[in-house]
Amino acid sequence: MAKTIYILNGPNLNLLGKRQPEIYGHDTLEDVERNCRAVLAEGFDLKLMQSNWEGQIVDWIHEAREQACGIVINPAALTHTSVAVLDALNTFVGPVIEIHISNVHKRESFRHHSYVSMRADGVIAGLGIEGYEAAVRRVCTLAA
Ligand code: DQA
């Protein structure tokens, strides 16, 4: 059976492609999913999810404990605020890669701190949606 990678996306990323395209680009989450499928290693599958609700992200991380071999997460604004998402990720055994489409370090200072980075095995920022593909490749390596 294929090993499944969860790709979790936080608040407002449902509007990817429409929202502040000068920062986040014109590609959508459907494009992200298609590109990520193209780089999956043999024996891996993925499930891409998005929610505007913190508790839903926490629930999916709990689900990942049973169902996923690794997590790629763009927590969006929850990156900078959510101890709950960090605590949930700390219950997950397996690789976790944090990804941001924009270079958060070049932006407002409140975006410079990430709770999720305290758990992440790798952090990607500023590669646009290509960052998701790099993250998926890395999870395939770490979970092989
Ligand atoms: C983001 C960066 C966050 O600061 C922001 O709140 C987002 C998206 C990114 O992908 O660049 O919603 O995670």
Side-chain angles (χ1 to χ4, degrees), residues 96-110:
V96 174
I97 306 294
E98 173 183 351
I99 182 251
H100 301 284
I101 296 163
S102 65
N103 180 0
V104 283
H105 301 290
K106 205 176 161 186
R107 300 180 64 193
E108 303 95 323
S109 58
F110 69 83

Side-chain angles (χ1 to χ4, degrees), residues 11 13 19 24 74 76-77 79-80 99-102 104 107 111:
L13 287 168
R19 164 203 190 203
Y24 300 113
N74 183 347
T79 309
H80 319 298
I99 182 251
H100 301 284
I101 296 163
S102 65
V104 283
R107 300 180 64 193
R111 296 186 202 275

Side-chain angles (χ1 to χ4, degrees), residues 1-7 36-37 39-48 64 66-71 92-95 136 138-144:
M1 216 178 99
K3 297 181 197 171
T4 303
I5 300 169
Y6 272 24
I7 305 181
C36 286
R37 286 196 179 281
V39 300
L40 276 177
E42 178 102 31
F44 286 87
D45 195 3
L46 64 80
K47 203 169 154 186
L48 184 144
E66 309 296 331
Q67 308 288 337
C69 67
I71 296 175
F92 180 77
V93 178
V136 165
R138 185 63 182 154
V139 170
C140 289
T141 300
L142 293 174

Side-chain angles (χ1 to χ4, degrees), residues 40-70:
L40 276 177
E42 178 102 31
F44 286 87
D45 195 3
L46 64 80
K47 203 169 154 186
L48 184 144
M49 288 162 272
Q50 187 279 330
S51 179
N52 295 324
W53 297 87
E54 183 176 21
Q56 177 65 81
I57 302 287
V58 168
D59 283 346
W60 281 332
I61 294 168
H62 293 177
E63 187 183 295
R65 285 161 47 82
E66 309 296 331
Q67 308 288 337
C69 67

